[in-house]
Amino acid sequence: QDQLVESGGGLVQAGGSLRLSCVASKRFIKLNVMGWYRQAPGKQRESVATITPVGSKAYDDSVKGRFTISRDNDKNTVYLQMNSLKPEDTAVYYCHPIATQVWGQGTQVTVSS
């Protein structure tokens, strides 16, 4: 079956940076809008950033100017560069091809005060 593998999460101090990676199938990378979502304990899952097959990008207001979504088609990988991290960014981050029911296992991001 289809599989997404997220990695790159960890524990960082406020103001630090992380780069998340999502290895997906070639067809998802080429044909789907790819999104990064996050979910904190007791909170609903929310969209963080998206990138279309032609490279158009969109961000939630809470991360605009701090996070950057990108992809490498040769590596079948979508990235989320996370800078100037805040404690409120703490969550499990998921990779998701829009308009599918496919999700990765998630990667934990924890930002300390």
Side-chain angles (χ1 to χ4, degrees):
Q1 63 177 346
D2 290 322
Q3 183 174 332
L4 304 171
V5 180
E6 297 108 330
S7 62
L11 173 63
V12 298
Q13 301 275 5
S17 297
L18 288 171
R19 188 178 75 158
L20 308 184
S21 299
C22 171
V23 179
S25 70
K26 180 70 72 176
R27 74 177 185 91
F28 287 154
I29 297 296
K30 290 181 63 176
L31 300 178
N32 288 83
V33 178
M34 298 296 296
W36 283 99
Y37 289 70
R38 66 186 180 187
Q39 187 167 23
K43 303 290 181 62
Q44 69 182 48
R45 190 176 303 163
E46 63 178 359
S47 177
V48 174
T50 60
I51 183 167
T52 75
V54 297
S56 299
K57 302 173 182 180
Y59 300 93
D60 184 79
D61 287 342
S62 66
V63 306
K64 190 174 182 180
R66 299 188 297 121
F67 292 8
T68 303
I69 190 170
S70 62
R71 68 170 183 262
D72 185 330
N73 290 347
D74 290 338
K75 296 181 178 179
N76 297 336
T77 301
V78 180
Y79 302 97
L80 186 68
Q81 179 66 46
M82 310 165 67
N83 298 328
S84 301
L85 283 162
K86 304 174 180 179
E88 51 262 46
D89 295 319
T90 295
V92 178
Y93 283 71
Y94 298 93
C95 184
H96 176 58
I98 305 301
T100 76
Q101 294 299 120
V102 181
W103 295 86
Q105 82 286 350
T107 185
Q108 176 72 50
V109 172
T110 303
V111 185
S112 65
S113 301

